[in-house]
Amino acid sequence: MDVRFSPPLFMQRYQFVIEFVKKFAPRKVMDVGCADCSLLSKLKFHRHCVELLAGVDIDCAAIRQRMHALAPLTCDYLQPASRPLTIELYQGSVTEREPCTRGFDLVTCIELIEHLEPWEVERFSDVVFGYMAPRAVIVSTPNAEFNTLLPGLTGFRHKDHKFEWSRAEFNTWALGICWRYGYTVDFTGVGEAQDSSVGFCSQIGVFQRHPELNVPVNNTPVEATVYRLLYKVVYPSLQDNNIFHRTLVSEVIYRAECLRRAWEEEEEEEEGVAGQTVYRCGRSVHVPLLRVWACPRVQALCADLHHLQEVLLGDSRVQLDANGGAVVLPGDEQEGEEEEEEDCGREEFAMRPAKCNIEEDWDAEIG
Amino acid sequence: MTTLRILTLYSKKQVNEKSKFQGNAAQAVVEENYLQVFRREQRLKMDPSKPPFPRLPGPTRLPWLQPSGGRGVLADRPPLGRARGLAVAADRLTAGGDGVSVTSAVQRGRGAPGPAVEPAVGFGRGAPLSVGGRGLAAARGVLGSPPEPVVGKGRGMMVVAQPAECAVPPQPSPAVEVPEKVPILQAKKESDAPLKTLKDVSGEGSSLVSMFRGMGVDPMESWARGRGLMGRGPGGGSTVDTPPRVGPVGPPSVGTGRALSLDLIHSGQSLLGRGVSGVGRASISPVGFSRGPAVPAPAPTPTSAPPHGATPVSKDAPVTPEHPPTTTELKMEAALEPLKKAGTKGCPVAVGSNYISILCRNEAVFQYHVTFTPNVESLSMRFGMMREHRSTTGEVVAFDGSILYLPKRLDEVVHLKAERKTDNQEIAIKIQMTKVLPPYSDLCIPFYNVVLRRVMKILGLKLVGRNHYDPQSAIVLGKHRLQVWPGYSTCIKRTDGGLYLAVDVSHKVLRNDSVLDVMNVIYQQSRESFQDECTKGLIGGIVITRYNNRTYRVDDIEWSKSPKDTFTMANGSETTFIEYYRKNYGITIKELDQPMLVHRPKERSQPGGKVITGEILLIPELSFMTGIPEKMRKDFKAMKDLTMHINVSAEQHTQSIKQLLRNMSTSQEALTELDRWGLQLSSNILVTQGRTLPMETICLQSASFVSPVSVDWSREVVRDSAISCIPLCCWAIFYPRRAAEQAEELVATFGKVAGPMGLRLDRPIRVEMRDDRTETYVKSIHSQLASEPNVQLVVCILTGNREDLYSAIKKLCCVQNPCPSQAINVRTLSQPQKLRSIAQKILLQINCKLGGELWTVNVPLKHLMVIGVDVHHDTSKKSRSVMGFVASLNSLLTKWYSRVTFQMPNEEIINGFRVCLLAALQKYYEVNHTFPEKIVIYRDGVSDGQLKTVEHYEIPQILKCFETFPDYEPKLTFIVVQKRISTTLYSCVADRFGTPPPGTVLDHTVTNRDWVDFYLMAHSIRQGCAIPTHYISIYNTANLTPDHLQRLTFKMCHLYWNWPGTIRVPAPCKYAHKLAFLSGQYLHSEPALQLADKLYFL
């Protein structure tokens, strides 16, 4: 093929979806015919509001190939995101109804329908638009009219394609869908030719459901019954209470330690507003919560001081003083105890005379 | 973590499409890429100074084979260059042997390293003849002017060796060999000369074999690896696969014997590199061998490990009737005899180790050669085409673009068709079976390791650097803003005991701060020296990026660049960093004016042959720090918080390993993955029998005592006189005014404790300084040394932990005004109740520095010189590395001569080594009026991948050194010391794991099949797990037996005078380390030669 697109066409299709996700802000997105999950792995970076990313493909080997690449990165654990994200991958057919696929905001079918037999397209339409009934659907498929620009191409672009539609054919099918299932459609595409009369290389239909048809979405998770769950991963996020607590406590302790160190260096000279200075109480050091909270990192996690106090009171990793107004840090342990540990507890042993060893001579042994 | 998986910004862009090639192994592996991934890692492991390995050269790329049979090319290089070239090739070859560089075997250019290696081998091994120097000269001759016939014989022998060893009567077996070869060679339009040679050579070979055998039972316990060799050589039986590659060698100009040998060698190598070298050696000089005692006494059978002999044999049995032609090969591999490396001295003790035995349930793994006609250049296209034929090959495939491994047998030749999408050209694919490998073959190990990585990922572990970690079990240290992730470093290896999964428990320290955060903190603390501080704190650090799981070493900071700058992407378009990250990862960079971090990847070539160079720029905001912060390292309390989690006891260690095994065995997905290649893990940690070496007798001047079980004699050394004490008549002590009191007390205490230790100590010259500035110290010391040239020792009391001051004093006293010096931190003197014992320790140290001798152990070898070598790499200035060299001068091993050399990058260590060795020999002669007859070198800091380089390059150079002196041919034993290893030993009492006692040695089962090696735990463990030190005897013309090697090593571990007990490495290594560290870290130049015969660096 001499017609090369830059960026490559598949990237342009993905970019189109990404832009749409940015504008449309869906919470739950499903990629139907996800193959090796390359669109999903892009979307996990450009997730905006997405909280659930699902992928379905009939070919479980294709999914398995790279599915572990969808796992959270190291840094997702180091700095948990504020929004949750779950990724689920299923093996299943888009011509079958699966309860857990209902209630999505966006379903993408990128270069999928041309792989279906014409009679399957009917079933597909019914399942996706009638049964799954997401708020929006993106369907992309080759534009047969563009094929004339692809040199050396005889027949379809891929040998598994069962058909390739002209723009008119695609429009007819799409408008039929809109009429039957209550959607509106916008036609567009990616991969423009110089000769614009043939249209885009990939034609795209963006379907949106009539708003009045939207029913409140049931958010209780449904277990897959027809599809087979191949992979599921929940990203660490601050919505997870444990992670939130852990992160917050870490920040609080760190901040308190910083304040304490600064205070120790200044040799307790500082005379500040009452209740705002670090002070020593017995062996331990008290750091006012207000000053801890003043740290932007802490505030970002917990905008409300009372909330902070509540969280910390319920957490054993941080100790607050009696009225909950200060973080109590334990005093310095005695130093140097450990250094000479090796010398302690070693009993005297009597000097043992050297055993009368038989004189060894390795030279003789070597010969 | 020093070698990083890297890619340039350019390739970053391509990563989505091409991540197969570049992506991190974990993400990118699709089955076809097993080998590819492996290869990439392999490349990373390799030394950058080595020429890139020829990859997929295709028929046009065998340049060195063209002129005249392989040696021509090398011959016209200068000798040094040649030697190097050889060594390098040899290195690769070995790797094949230990399962690492199957790369070499797998690639089509495989033939190439074969011939290149051969002469080197002949040289390296031929040299150590125990007969003496004549053999050496002869061997050298081999290198200089290749004596074809000799070499030819050597190789020829291998041909015969194969059948001979496979328990088939020798006569008929060549016949088996020939028919296999004939059709192919002819088909390839080779002249039939090679064939003839084959016959000739084999005839000749058989006599050689018998000769070889005869040696095998040499009563003198000479070290022959004959049996092992023959057992391995037979890899050559599979020559079938080689003709297609050796094709271009054919021209008649090539010496006939040679042409064939190439082919043999290379096939031999493909199974196990060793076979070749061994045979070559044997033929050159059948008199003495450097390793592996002749009598193939089997190692003590490990209790739970699969016995090496038995398993393979039983495995073969069913195969034999089914595939008669292949049984030879399987048998060959089975017949492998381990090197004789087991000692007998000491008490047997049950020892556990972190190895899990692996059972291979596949009968065999089949190797095929895949050709595409017309040729398909693109690897990805080749993968694609093969993928379309999954119905033929099955789902379980390891394919590198030309060599295909399957767990199932296809027809001898399978013809398939595919269509090239770009031009609709029909491509014929021919899959030809080339080998039937035993499932535990070294060639299989790379893709087994890929399988293992997938399993780790299936278990939810995250790949960070090279190891896998469990973020779910992270330990968060909020106080220090860091997390410790527990995890594992795992690897499948083939050792003397069979196929094992080696598991080590590993911890990764990750920080919650981005590099930008760290920079901000630095900025707040030191605005003026901000850039300097950043450079100090960040360079050399490892960062992990936010948008992928890759780690990079920070090599520099580019202050003049910012994310607003642009860079050129692979397609030639320009984009800013901001835009790039926004578009590809949806990341908005907040700080637009941050500098950029620079990572300079080691030069390497991609699978396509494209060489990647240039820098990678990273955004501080998007990079997280890993590892322990430098500041924290110095904070004793903080480190305690941390080490509490990291130092696990043997009990915890084994628990973690067992947990991993449980997780593997309960995950169906993981089991399925392993089962694809028929791998089954044992559920138990390896337990076998080790030994505790006899305790040594420590000798002081008159007193002597057997080392206590605790290997600690700190009391004894202060109670009795040391072997020799230098009277301290004239010494000066420097201290700032505020430390006057401590200085006074120290001097007083010195006076009290010196007597019993046998030390004579006069009153010092006291120099009180008005402040503790560095210049004040330097000035005072300098003027004192100038006015009083007889000063024997400079003692300085330092206030605080000040590296610059320490460095200044040491520079002055080690380089400018050579004089032994002792720096003492005032804090160590602050506790009166401990002052006495501290003063004793300091006095011992001072005595060493002056040239006194503390204690020794008896080494029953006469005229011995023991040398220790270690290299220090300065992480921040990676330009230079420093080699410390320490050699013993007397029979008590109490006098040491030390030297230091600095190397520029890519400069071979051996250059400096030669200078040091010559100087040490001269000094030895001065002291003893004779040269040492036996030299034992302990060389620290050699990785597994460099062993061959050492053997083929360094050792010949060392031998050459001896020629400097007329008629001087000492025996040499060269032992590589590896302390950073992943092998752990446990004591094992009543099913509970603990730490083994000092002196525990393990010399079988987990040892390396290619070398005489052993694991020795010389030190006593106070905390954490017992990591032994790995010793590899690379060369041994001194003919030290395994017992000698082990015991000598253990003895040497007793002789480090800064520690009244055993340490984990031989004392000369530790001295060399100390010396290199001092020179590299503080002196930055060579210390003065006047000090070379004292341990001034302690």
Side-chain angles (χ1 to χ4, degrees), chain B residues 516 561-565 576-579 588-596 619 621:
Chain B
L516 186 65
K561 285 222 163 76
S562 81
K564 290 181 285 193
D565 284 307
T576 65
F577 291 96
I578 301 172
E579 183 59 18
T588 315
I589 295 174
K590 295 191 191 90
E591 174 61 64
L592 299 184
D593 288 317
Q594 54 192 317
M596 304 283 275
I619 315 271
E621 188 178 325

mmCIF file of all heavy atoms in Angstrom, chain B residues 516 561-565 576-579 588-596 619 621:
data_model
loop_
_atom_site.group_PDB
_atom_site.id
_atom_site.type_symbol
_atom_site.label_atom_id
_atom_site.label_comp_id
_atom_site.label_asym_id
_atom_site.label_seq_id
_atom_site.Cartn_x
_atom_site.Cartn_y
_atom_site.Cartn_z
ATOM 1 N N LEU B 516 11.240 15.905 40.603
ATOM 2 C CA LEU B 516 10.992 17.342 40.758
ATOM 3 C C LEU B 516 10.787 17.701 42.231
ATOM 4 O O LEU B 516 11.303 18.714 42.710
ATOM 5 C CB LEU B 516 9.767 17.738 39.923
ATOM 6 C CG LEU B 516 9.473 19.223 39.883
ATOM 7 C CD1 LEU B 516 10.590 19.985 39.190
ATOM 8 C CD2 LEU B 516 8.144 19.492 39.186
ATOM 9 N N LYS B 561 17.762 22.745 29.164
ATOM 10 C CA LYS B 561 16.566 22.257 28.457
ATOM 11 C C LYS B 561 15.365 22.258 29.385
ATOM 12 O O LYS B 561 15.501 22.239 30.610
ATOM 13 C CB LYS B 561 16.827 20.836 27.948
ATOM 14 C CG LYS B 561 17.743 20.771 26.740
ATOM 15 C CD LYS B 561 17.200 19.759 25.741
ATOM 16 C CE LYS B 561 17.801 19.919 24.378
ATOM 17 N NZ LYS B 561 19.158 19.389 24.300
ATOM 18 N N SER B 562 14.196 22.271 28.779
ATOM 19 C CA SER B 562 12.974 22.186 29.560
ATOM 20 C C SER B 562 11.944 21.418 28.735
ATOM 21 O O SER B 562 12.146 21.187 27.550
ATOM 22 C CB SER B 562 12.463 23.587 29.891
ATOM 23 O OG SER B 562 11.764 24.094 28.774
ATOM 24 N N PRO B 563 10.836 21.060 29.372
ATOM 25 C CA PRO B 563 9.815 20.317 28.615
ATOM 26 C C PRO B 563 9.263 21.113 27.431
ATOM 27 O O PRO B 563 8.604 20.546 26.563
ATOM 28 C CB PRO B 563 8.725 20.074 29.652
ATOM 29 C CG PRO B 563 9.382 20.204 30.964
ATOM 30 C CD PRO B 563 10.503 21.177 30.784
ATOM 31 N N LYS B 564 9.547 22.396 27.415
ATOM 32 C CA LYS B 564 9.043 23.201 26.293
ATOM 33 C C LYS B 564 9.863 22.959 25.031
ATOM 34 O O LYS B 564 9.442 23.331 23.949
ATOM 35 C CB LYS B 564 9.072 24.690 26.673
ATOM 36 C CG LYS B 564 8.035 25.036 27.725
ATOM 37 C CD LYS B 564 8.044 26.510 28.070
ATOM 38 C CE LYS B 564 9.249 26.850 28.938
ATOM 39 N NZ LYS B 564 9.178 28.174 29.548
ATOM 40 N N ASP B 565 11.029 22.362 25.208
ATOM 41 C CA ASP B 565 11.870 22.114 24.040
ATOM 42 C C ASP B 565 11.270 21.024 23.165
ATOM 43 O O ASP B 565 10.421 20.251 23.594
ATOM 44 C CB ASP B 565 13.271 21.707 24.495
ATOM 45 C CG ASP B 565 14.058 22.897 24.982
ATOM 46 O OD1 ASP B 565 14.143 23.876 24.218
ATOM 47 O OD2 ASP B 565 14.538 22.873 26.130
ATOM 48 N N THR B 576 7.104 19.038 21.033
ATOM 49 C CA THR B 576 7.640 19.397 22.340
ATOM 50 C C THR B 576 7.362 18.246 23.290
ATOM 51 O O THR B 576 6.486 17.418 23.046
ATOM 52 C CB THR B 576 6.969 20.652 22.913
ATOM 53 O OG1 THR B 576 5.594 20.342 23.144
ATOM 54 C CG2 THR B 576 7.074 21.828 21.976
ATOM 55 N N PHE B 577 8.129 18.235 24.378
ATOM 56 C CA PHE B 577 7.911 17.181 25.361
ATOM 57 C C PHE B 577 6.500 17.301 25.945
ATOM 58 O O PHE B 577 5.834 16.304 26.183
ATOM 59 C CB PHE B 577 8.957 17.286 26.473
ATOM 60 C CG PHE B 577 10.340 16.924 25.997
ATOM 61 C CD1 PHE B 577 11.233 17.905 25.596
ATOM 62 C CD2 PHE B 577 10.727 15.606 25.934
ATOM 63 C CE1 PHE B 577 12.496 17.567 25.159
ATOM 64 C CE2 PHE B 577 11.994 15.258 25.493
ATOM 65 C CZ PHE B 577 12.884 16.243 25.098
ATOM 66 N N ILE B 578 6.088 18.526 26.172
ATOM 67 C CA ILE B 578 4.765 18.747 26.751
ATOM 68 C C ILE B 578 3.712 18.089 25.889
ATOM 69 O O ILE B 578 2.859 17.336 26.360
ATOM 70 C CB ILE B 578 4.478 20.271 26.825
ATOM 71 C CG1 ILE B 578 5.548 20.938 27.684
ATOM 72 C CG2 ILE B 578 3.089 20.538 27.363
ATOM 73 C CD1 ILE B 578 5.482 22.457 27.661
ATOM 74 N N GLU B 579 3.819 18.363 24.600
ATOM 75 C CA GLU B 579 2.838 17.869 23.656
ATOM 76 C C GLU B 579 2.907 16.343 23.562
ATOM 77 O O GLU B 579 1.890 15.647 23.520
ATOM 78 C CB GLU B 579 3.128 18.513 22.285
ATOM 79 C CG GLU B 579 2.155 18.173 21.196
ATOM 80 C CD GLU B 579 0.722 18.580 21.519
ATOM 81 O OE1 GLU B 579 0.533 19.427 22.423
ATOM 82 O OE2 GLU B 579 -0.187 18.023 20.902
ATOM 83 N N THR B 588 -0.493 16.006 31.732
ATOM 84 C CA THR B 588 -0.216 17.423 31.612
ATOM 85 C C THR B 588 0.974 17.749 32.505
ATOM 86 O O THR B 588 0.924 17.515 33.711
ATOM 87 C CB THR B 588 -1.425 18.252 32.081
ATOM 88 O OG1 THR B 588 -2.591 17.657 31.504
ATOM 89 C CG2 THR B 588 -1.314 19.678 31.644
ATOM 90 N N ILE B 589 2.020 18.252 31.913
ATOM 91 C CA ILE B 589 3.190 18.628 32.704
ATOM 92 C C ILE B 589 2.914 19.970 33.347
ATOM 93 O O ILE B 589 2.532 20.925 32.678
ATOM 94 C CB ILE B 589 4.442 18.682 31.814
ATOM 95 C CG1 ILE B 589 4.739 17.267 31.314
ATOM 96 C CG2 ILE B 589 5.630 19.259 32.573
ATOM 97 C CD1 ILE B 589 5.856 17.180 30.324
ATOM 98 N N LYS B 590 3.084 20.036 34.667
ATOM 99 C CA LYS B 590 2.703 21.256 35.376
ATOM 100 C C LYS B 590 3.840 22.265 35.397
ATOM 101 O O LYS B 590 3.632 23.443 35.152
ATOM 102 C CB LYS B 590 2.275 20.914 36.799
ATOM 103 C CG LYS B 590 1.016 20.054 36.824
ATOM 104 C CD LYS B 590 0.447 19.957 38.230
ATOM 105 C CE LYS B 590 -0.642 18.896 38.294
ATOM 106 N NZ LYS B 590 -0.122 17.548 38.622
ATOM 107 N N GLU B 591 5.028 21.790 35.708
ATOM 108 C CA GLU B 591 6.157 22.711 35.834
ATOM 109 C C GLU B 591 6.864 22.799 34.481
ATOM 110 O O GLU B 591 7.494 21.848 34.046
ATOM 111 C CB GLU B 591 7.110 22.174 36.920
ATOM 112 C CG GLU B 591 8.401 22.938 37.062
ATOM 113 C CD GLU B 591 8.181 24.378 37.450
ATOM 114 O OE1 GLU B 591 7.663 24.616 38.542
ATOM 115 O OE2 GLU B 591 8.508 25.260 36.621
ATOM 116 N N LEU B 592 6.729 23.939 33.838
ATOM 117 C CA LEU B 592 7.243 24.043 32.476
ATOM 118 C C LEU B 592 8.716 24.409 32.426
ATOM 119 O O LEU B 592 9.335 24.327 31.383
ATOM 120 C CB LEU B 592 6.438 25.070 31.694
ATOM 121 C CG LEU B 592 4.941 24.743 31.562
ATOM 122 C CD1 LEU B 592 4.238 25.758 30.703
ATOM 123 C CD2 LEU B 592 4.736 23.343 31.008
ATOM 124 N N ASP B 593 9.260 24.827 33.554
ATOM 125 C CA ASP B 593 10.648 25.298 33.527
ATOM 126 C C ASP B 593 11.626 24.350 34.196
ATOM 127 O O ASP B 593 12.738 24.724 34.542
ATOM 128 C CB ASP B 593 10.747 26.684 34.188
ATOM 129 C CG ASP B 593 10.121 27.736 33.293
ATOM 130 O OD1 ASP B 593 10.373 27.664 32.075
ATOM 131 O OD2 ASP B 593 9.382 28.580 33.801
ATOM 132 N N GLN B 594 11.219 23.105 34.379
ATOM 133 C CA GLN B 594 12.143 22.184 35.028
ATOM 134 C C GLN B 594 13.250 21.778 34.046
ATOM 135 O O GLN B 594 13.036 21.726 32.849
ATOM 136 C CB GLN B 594 11.389 20.952 35.525
ATOM 137 C CG GLN B 594 10.564 20.251 34.466
ATOM 138 C CD GLN B 594 9.625 19.219 35.067
ATOM 139 O OE1 GLN B 594 9.998 18.472 35.930
ATOM 140 N NE2 GLN B 594 8.385 19.198 34.599
ATOM 141 N N PRO B 595 14.422 21.489 34.600
ATOM 142 C CA PRO B 595 15.480 20.972 33.720
ATOM 143 C C PRO B 595 15.138 19.532 33.324
ATOM 144 O O PRO B 595 14.138 18.987 33.779
ATOM 145 C CB PRO B 595 16.722 20.995 34.613
ATOM 146 C CG PRO B 595 16.188 20.859 36.000
ATOM 147 C CD PRO B 595 14.846 21.549 36.004
ATOM 148 N N MET B 596 15.966 18.943 32.496
ATOM 149 C CA MET B 596 15.675 17.579 32.057
ATOM 150 C C MET B 596 16.762 16.638 32.569
ATOM 151 O O MET B 596 17.932 17.005 32.673
ATOM 152 C CB MET B 596 15.639 17.524 30.527
ATOM 153 C CG MET B 596 14.655 18.494 29.904
ATOM 154 S SD MET B 596 12.967 17.929 30.035
ATOM 155 C CE MET B 596 12.910 16.903 28.598
ATOM 156 N N ILE B 619 11.636 13.740 32.053
ATOM 157 C CA ILE B 619 11.076 14.882 32.767
ATOM 158 C C ILE B 619 11.113 14.595 34.262
ATOM 159 O O ILE B 619 10.547 13.598 34.696
ATOM 160 C CB ILE B 619 9.610 15.096 32.348
ATOM 161 C CG1 ILE B 619 9.463 14.989 30.829
ATOM 162 C CG2 ILE B 619 9.050 16.380 32.919
ATOM 163 C CD1 ILE B 619 9.639 16.237 30.075
ATOM 164 N N GLU B 621 9.472 15.736 36.632
ATOM 165 C CA GLU B 621 8.138 15.647 37.210
ATOM 166 C C GLU B 621 7.529 14.262 36.993
ATOM 167 O O GLU B 621 6.683 13.812 37.760
ATOM 168 C CB GLU B 621 7.252 16.726 36.557
ATOM 169 C CG GLU B 621 5.906 16.876 37.198
ATOM 170 C CD GLU B 621 5.090 17.988 36.543
ATOM 171 O OE1 GLU B 621 5.678 19.004 36.120
ATOM 172 O OE2 GLU B 621 3.866 17.822 36.436
#
